[in-house]
Every structure is written in structure tokens, then in C-alpha cells.
């Protein structure tokens, strides 16, 4: 019996199997073409032609595929064995060839974009458009120096006190070894080299509260157990906002306000809502304006969780009265919101107005203590911004518990803490420093403000801080933010004086500028006034 052609064809098995010698695999589409073709040819020309023609086609197709693969792929190392038969010594080579081939194939599938970072990182990484930071960057590139760079930019945009650095330097020279001495035993080095509480050494908390009490004229007493130490006042603000508000919530803040706050709290995702104050009231806060801002936020569906105030004011330099502090406490209690009182300039006052800490008000009241949180530090009152020492003071147990854990991300180095314990415990030095510094601040403020008045620039009434709030509105054209920034650019580029425009501080009245005078020596004042006058002459409107 004759076997049907479709079942008796040994060449079919041979043609569909991969060649073991070169390990070539025939793609399925190719086989779908050859097998039907074999049946057609065999039906017309018999068994011989039906076997020869498909085999010839298969052979030439193999040559074509092999040649095409050779041209498009990197040449492998010479070897007659298949990858499965490689010795252990050469197996790593085969693996490397496989990975390289994979990389080549992946890179050809499409363009590979840059590595992604989080949206939060993108927001933080954006170049700052605030004139406050732009001015600081310009000074870094071209800083003024009386001898080395007399044509450089004079810094009036940074609230840093250099008037009393000689007092700090002398104390450090006289006490450095005593402050850092830890003895010859193992316990001594462990005092500065081993892990310590992230929220600060208790010895420094005690010294810090004594210093804060001394700044307030010893009218109040602070409890060291209610203190969390941080590396500066900036993380103290961030930690408190993290503890008191959720993302999307808001804090009210009297404006104009310190321009750095906008960047300081960006990670908390809390909104700052300016409560605009007017020059007619020396930019003093009113409860009516506070209530209006609160109600407007409520209409927008924004939950207000607190009020952030600086006392003395930054940038105006005015001090809050005792009566205003009581009104603020009543308002916060009525709305059940918090108050953060930044009192980092509390010891840097020189006017006739009395500085009153919020703690004095709380001591006289039996309510509201859990809702008030005070920030202090050594960057301003002790002129040590590089030491990075700040403090949170709160009566709220939940806030303190959370802040102590968050302080691990902003703890002060132990050697710095040990040094500060010795310095702050030197009551005689601290008292002499505070008295001398206040005298120098008062003298410098008077000289600088008098110089500005001589060229037609008046200032708001101030009695604290390292700056004056100068009114240059008569020199701007047009009378709006654009005109203000135009004058700021001329002061920076032509006069080579860096000041902070009011728009950076969210002031609604154009033409006001913050001028920090504590970065100057007294003999520099005539030069600064002369440079400012160079720009303002002919600009009087």
C-alpha cells in the first residue's frame, strides 16, 4: 500500500529540526512557508522534486539569516562549542556577551530619559526668583572689601550681627581649651564622641533657658524640660508647622514678613497667608485685619491652624505691645488655633519700647498655654549663626513628644553643645555682652538712619533687630512692584548695594526696603549713603 504523501515524508522532520552544529533556530513564519510549498511541489513533480526544492530553499534561507545576523551583531569570541558546552573558565565571558547584547537591544528600543526625582525635589530645586536670594547670590560673587575689592557689592540684605564679634572672639580665645577639655579618661572623650539625645543635652537646655530668662530681664522663668533644641531657628519653625498643621492647611502671618519663611516651610506644604499691615500704623498688626484674613481663608475652604509672628518684627523692627499679645491670645483661643512666636531678636532691642515675651502673658493667664509655642536661638542675640543653635519652647506635651523625635533630623553637634554650655553658663560674660551689644546696635541704628534721612529717605519706627525699614517710594517709577524692582536692580547693579525690596517681604505698599546695618563698620556708613544717593539723585518723583 502506498503511504499518503502527507504522512510519509522523512525530510519534513529533518527540515524542521534545528541544526545542532550551528544551533540555528528557524522562525515559525518560515516553516509556515516551506511546509505548504513542499506539498504543492511534491503534488506536481513527485517525491524527489517535492523534497529537493524545499530543502534548497531552506538551505539558502539559512545562509541569508546567518549572514544577516553576522553583519548586525558583534563578533563573539572564537569557539566551536555552543554556550551550553563552555567550560567554567569561559562561562563568565558568555554571560557578559549576553548582557552586552541585551543592553544593545534595549538601547535600540527607544530613547532613555533622565532619571526621575520626586515632585517635591523638583519644587525645592527650582531656581529662586525672590530678590532676597538673588541679591545674596550677587554678593557672594562680588563681595565688597575695603582693600581687596573696594568696588564690590556691599551687603545690606543679610541680618547678621558683626558689631560685637570682637567680644565673642575674645571669650573663645580665653576659654576654648577649658570648654573643650574632657580629661584623660575614657569617659571624657565619650562626652563629645558618643551618641547623645537628639533633642539636646540637658545641660544645654538648662543653660539655654537661663540665657532666655536673662534676655527677658529675668522677668520670666523657662522650664528646661519643655525645651527641644534644634540646629538653628529655621528647623524649629519647620518642626512646629509639621506638628501643628497638615499639608494644605494654613498659618496667618503679619506682612511684611521675613522673606526666608517661604522657603523654610516648603517641605511642610503649609500655606502662609499674609495679613497685610499699613505704613499709616507703622505696619502694626490689627485684630480686625487678622479676623478678615481668617474669614477669607475659611471661604476658600482653607483650614487655618495658627498664627506665626516675629517679635521684634522682621523686617520692620517694631515690638509688639503687651496689650497686643493679650489680644492675640484671645483671638487664638476663640478660634482654637495655635500661635508660634519667633523671639530670636528678643535680646537685640535698643529702642524705648519694652520687649515682652509671650511667656510673660501666659504666666499671667490660666488658659491658652497648650496653643502657644516660642522659638529662640543664638544666631541673632549672641551673633553665632554659624554655630546653628535654636530652641523650641512649648507647654504642649504632644508637640514636645513629636518634636523630640523630629529633632534627630536637625540635631546640634555635641562639641558645639558642650562649648555653648560653658559660654551660656558664664553669666558675667553674657550680661556684659547683652549690654554692650545693645549700646552698639542703638548707636549704629541712629547713625545709619540719620544718613538715610540726609538724602531724603525716611524709615519706619523700629527698636529691635539688625535692620531699618526704609521708605524709598518717592524714587520709584511707576509706583508699583515693577517700579520697586527696577530701583532694586539699580541699587544692586549701579550703586553696588544689596538691599531687600518690600515685595520679597509681601509688603503691599511699593517702595519699602529692608536695610541691614549690622553687617557694616561705622566708618562704612558714608560710603553706603553715597552709593545709594548715586542712584536716587534725579529719581525723585
Amino acid at each position: 500500500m502506498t503511504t499518503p504523501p502527507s504522512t510519509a515524508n522523512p525530510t519534513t522532520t529533518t527540515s524542521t529540526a534545528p541544526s545542532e552544529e550551528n544551533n540555528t533556530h528557524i522562525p515559525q513564519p518560515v516553516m509556515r512557508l516551506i511546509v505548504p510549498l513542499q506539498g504543492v511541489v511534491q503534488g506536481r513533480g513527485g517525491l524527489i522534486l517535492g523534497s529537493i526544492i524545499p530543502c534548497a530553499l531552506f538551505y539558502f534561507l539559512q545562509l541569508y539569516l546567518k549572514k544577516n545576523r553576522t553583519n548586525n551583531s558583534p563578533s563573539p569570541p572564537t569557539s566551536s562549542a555552543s554556550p551550553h558546552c563552555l567550560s567554567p573558565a569561559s562561562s563568565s565571558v558568555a554571560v557578559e556577551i549576553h548582557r552586552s547584547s541585551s543592553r544593545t537591544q534595549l538601547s535600540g528600543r527607544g530613547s532613555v530619559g533622565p532619571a526621575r526625582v520626586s515632585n517635591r525635589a523638583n519644587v525645592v530645586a527650582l531656581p529662586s526668583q525672590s530678590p532676597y536670594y538673588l541679591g545674596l547670590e550677587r554678593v557672594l560673587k562680588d563681595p565688597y572689601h575695603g582693600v581687596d575689592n573696594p568696588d564690590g557689592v556691599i551687603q545690606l540684605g543679610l541680618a547678621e550681627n558683626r558689631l560685637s564679634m570682637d567680644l565673642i572672639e575674645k571669650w573663645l580665645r580665653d576659654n576654648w581649651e577649658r570648654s573643650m577639655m574632657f580629661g584623660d579618661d575614657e569617659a571624657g572623650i565619650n562626652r563629645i564622641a558618643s551618641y547623645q539625645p537628639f533633642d539636646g543635652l540637658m545641660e544645654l537646655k538648662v543653660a539655654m533657658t537661663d540665657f532666655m530668662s536673662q534676655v527677658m530681664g529675668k522677668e520670666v522663668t523657662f522650664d528646661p524640660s519643655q525645651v527641644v533644641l534644634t540646629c538653628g531657628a529655621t528647623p524649629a519653625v519647620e518642626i512646629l508647622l509639621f506638628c501643628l498643621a497638615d499639608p494644605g492647611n494654613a498659618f496667618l502671618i503679619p506682612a511684611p514678613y521675613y522673606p526666608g519663611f517661604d522657603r523654610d516651610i516648603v517641605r511642610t506644604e503649609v500655606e502662609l497667608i499674609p495679613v497685610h499691615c499699613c505704613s499709616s500704623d507703622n505696619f502694626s498688626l490689627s485684630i480686625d485685619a487678622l479676623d478678615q484674613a481668617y474669614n477669607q481663608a475659611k471661604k476658600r475652604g482653607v483650614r487655618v491652624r495658627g498664627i506665626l509672628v516675629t517679635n521684634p518684627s522682621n523686617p520692620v523692627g517694631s515690638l509688639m505691645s503687651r496689650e497686643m499679645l493679650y489680644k492675640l491670645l484671645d483671638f487664638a483661643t476663640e478660634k482654637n488655633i495655635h500661635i508660634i512666636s519667633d523671639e530670636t531678636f528678643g535680646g537685640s532691642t535698643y529702642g524705648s519700647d519694652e520687649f515682652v515675651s509671650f511667656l510673660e502673658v501666659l504666666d499671667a493667664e490660666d488658659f491658652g498655654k497648650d496653643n502657644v509655642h516660642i522659638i529662640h536661638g543664638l544666631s541673632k542675640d549672641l551673633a553665632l549663626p554659624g554655630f546653628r543653635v535654636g530652641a523650641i519652647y512649648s507647654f504642649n506635651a504632644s508637640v514636645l513628644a513629636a518634636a523630640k523625635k523630629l529633632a534627630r533630623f536637625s540635631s546640634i553637634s555635641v562639641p558645639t553643645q558642650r562649648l555653648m554650655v560653658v559660654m551660656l553658663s558664664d553669666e558675667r560674660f553674657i550680661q556684659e555682652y547683652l549690654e554692650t551689644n545693645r549700646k552698639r546696635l542703638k548707636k549704629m541704628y541712629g547713625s545709619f538712619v540719620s544718613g538715610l534721612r540726609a538724602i531724603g529717605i525716611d524709615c519706619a519706627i523700629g527698636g529691635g533687630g539688625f535692620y531699618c525699614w526704609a521708605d524709598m517710594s518717592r524714587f520709584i517709577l511707576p509706583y508699583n512692584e515693577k517700579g520697586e524692582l527696577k530701583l532694586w536692580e539699580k541699587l544692586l547693579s549701579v550703586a553696588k548695594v544689596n538691599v531687600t525690596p518690600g515685595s520679597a517681604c509681601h509688603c503691599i505698599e511699593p517702595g519699602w526696603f529692608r536695610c541691614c546695618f549690622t553687617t557694616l563698620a561705622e566708618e562704612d556708613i558714608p560710603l553706603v549713603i553715597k552709593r545709594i544717593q548715586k542712584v536716587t539723585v534725579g529719581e525723585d518723583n
Side-chain angles (χ1 to χ4, degrees):
M1 180 182 297
T2 303
T3 304
S6 60
T7 59
N9 191 3
T11 60
T12 303
T13 303
T14 303
S15 62
T16 58
S19 170
E20 187 174 342
E21 181 177 348
N22 55 24
N23 200 27
T24 302
H25 177 69
I26 307 303
Q28 289 297 326
V30 175
M31 295 309 301
R32 293 193 188 101
L33 172 65
I34 292 177
V35 174
L37 181 60
Q38 179 182 351
V40 172
V41 175
Q42 181 176 337
R44 291 183 179 180
L47 182 61
I48 296 177
L49 289 176
S51 300
I52 293 176
I53 294 176
C55 287
L57 290 174
F58 169 68
Y59 174 76
F60 286 116
L61 182 61
Q62 274 189 309
L63 289 177
Y64 171 78
L65 292 175
K66 185 175 182 180
K67 182 178 180 181
N68 189 58
R69 227 182 359 261
T70 302
N71 291 337
N72 294 334
S73 303
S75 301
T78 304
S79 175
S80 60
S82 69
H84 302 289
C85 300
L86 290 174
S87 64
S90 61
S91 61
S92 61
V93 177
V95 174
E96 290 175 4
I97 293 172
H98 179 70
R99 284 203 305 268
S100 176
S101 176
S102 299
R103 290 194 188 104
T104 304
Q105 293 175 10
L106 284 172
S107 63
R109 291 177 183 175
S111 59
V112 179
R116 269 185 52 82
V117 298
S118 69
N119 291 332
R120 293 172 298 179
N122 284 327
V123 170
V124 174
L126 287 173
S128 177
Q129 299 302 314
S130 170
Y132 171 67
Y133 291 107
L134 294 177
L136 296 180
E137 292 172 2
R138 292 277 284 275
V139 175
L140 287 176
K141 295 176 181 178
D142 185 24
Y144 168 81
H145 188 276
V147 176
D148 298 335
N149 190 21
D151 295 325
V153 181
I154 297 177
Q155 178 65 284
L156 299 184
L158 186 64
E160 182 177 59
N161 185 9
R162 300 177 188 170
L163 301 180
S164 302
M165 292 298 290
D166 60 314
L167 304 179
I168 299 295
E169 182 180 5
K170 183 179 184 304
W171 187 94
L172 289 174
R173 288 184 182 276
D174 295 342
N175 297 275
W176 179 264
E177 290 187 10
R178 180 170 67 92
S179 303
M180 290 290 100
M181 190 176 296
F182 44 79
D184 298 327
D185 58 339
E186 184 180 348
I189 188 64
N190 285 339
R191 292 175 69 247
I192 63 172
S194 60
Y195 279 116
Q196 301 292 342
F198 292 115
D199 61 304
L201 299 171
M202 181 51 70
E203 300 99 304
L204 183 54
K205 291 182 179 181
V206 172
M208 190 72 182
T209 52
D210 288 343
F211 171 74
M212 293 163 66
S213 179
Q214 202 166 352
V215 165
M216 314 303 174
K218 297 191 175 181
E219 297 292 332
V220 292
T221 302
F222 293 85
D223 184 351
S225 67
Q226 294 168 198
V227 172
V228 175
L229 297 175
T230 60
C231 59
T234 294
V237 173
E238 184 187 49
I239 287 174
L240 281 176
L241 284 177
F242 183 93
C243 294
L244 302 177
D246 294 310
N249 292 164
F251 260 67
L252 304 178
I253 180 169
Y257 64 80
Y258 165 56
F261 278 144
D262 294 321
R263 178 183 287 186
D264 292 349
I265 68 162
V266 65
R267 294 193 301 183
T268 67
E269 300 182 45
V270 174
E271 179 185 357
L272 291 181
I273 299 178
V275 181
H276 294 293
C277 306
C278 301
S279 58
S280 57
D281 297 324
N282 200 49
F283 296 97
S284 298
L285 177 65
S286 72
I287 297 301
D288 288 340
L290 200 64
D291 190 54
Q292 183 180 6
Y294 179 89
N295 291 328
Q296 288 177 348
K298 192 174 180 180
K299 289 180 180 179
R300 291 194 292 120
V302 177
R303 185 174 183 182
V304 175
R305 299 302 300 268
I307 309 165
L308 172 58
V309 297
T310 57
N311 186 27
S313 166
N314 183 2
V316 179
S318 57
L319 281 66
M320 281 192 171
S321 66
R322 190 182 300 270
E323 181 184 3
M324 175 52 66
L325 295 181
Y326 276 108
K327 289 181 179 180
L328 271 177
L329 183 61
D330 290 340
F331 181 85
T333 302
E334 177 190 343
K335 306 296 184 182
N336 192 24
I337 58 178
H338 294 270
I339 296 175
I340 298 176
S341 181
D342 183 344
E343 301 180 1
T344 53
F345 288 99
S348 302
T349 57
Y350 42 83
S352 57
D353 293 337
E354 174 193 20
F355 171 73
V356 182
S357 171
F358 235 115
L359 186 59
E360 294 186 47
V361 174
L362 294 176
D363 282 351
E365 297 291 342
D366 294 328
F367 64 91
K369 288 188 175 183
D370 276 357
N371 291 54
V372 178
H373 320 274
I374 298 171
I375 293 174
H376 209 92
L378 303 182
S379 296
K380 310 304 181 183
D381 285 347
L382 208 53
L384 293 173
F387 281 58
R388 310 307 303 143
V389 179
I392 296 171
Y393 190 82
S394 178
F395 292 92
N396 192 306
S398 297
V399 169
L400 289 173
K404 287 179 179 180
K405 294 181 179 179
L406 292 171
R408 70 178 289 118
F409 304 111
S410 61
S411 56
I412 310 167
S413 73
V414 178
T416 299
Q417 293 190 65
R418 295 293 181 192
L419 177 62
M420 289 297 96
V421 168
V422 179
M423 179 182 283
L424 295 177
S425 300
D426 190 341
E427 290 191 17
R428 180 179 177 182
F429 165 73
I430 294 298
Q431 188 62 36
E432 289 178 354
Y433 175 86
L434 291 174
E435 291 176 358
T436 303
N437 187 55
R438 282 172 174 147
K439 290 178 181 177
R440 293 181 180 181
L441 284 170
K442 183 176 182 178
K443 182 180 180 182
M444 194 68 175
Y445 174 81
S447 299
F448 190 78
V449 170
S450 296
L452 290 177
R453 285 175 180 162
I455 59 173
I457 299 174
D458 291 325
C459 298
I461 301 173
F466 304 156
Y467 33 75
C468 64
W469 189 233
D471 181 11
M472 303 188 195
S473 57
R474 57 185 290 192
F475 303 112
I476 68 172
L477 188 68
Y479 181 71
N480 54 27
E481 182 179 338
K482 184 178 179 180
E484 176 184 280
L485 293 178
K486 181 181 176 182
L487 178 59
W488 167 74
E489 180 61 39
K490 290 182 69 175
L491 287 167
L492 189 60
S493 302
V494 179
K496 292 292 191 74
V497 175
N498 177 43
V499 295
T500 304
S503 55
C505 305
H506 300 267
C507 181
I508 58 171
E509 297 183 26
W512 290 86
F513 293 81
R514 189 186 75 161
C515 304
C516 301
F517 55 83
T518 54
T519 57
L520 303 172
E522 192 169 5
E523 55 268 24
D524 293 330
I525 293 179
L527 174 61
V528 173
I529 300 302
K530 182 179 179 180
R531 287 193 179 189
I532 294 176
Q533 188 178 26
K534 178 182 178 181
V535 169
T536 56
V537 168
E539 298 289 336
D540 194 344
N541 298 314

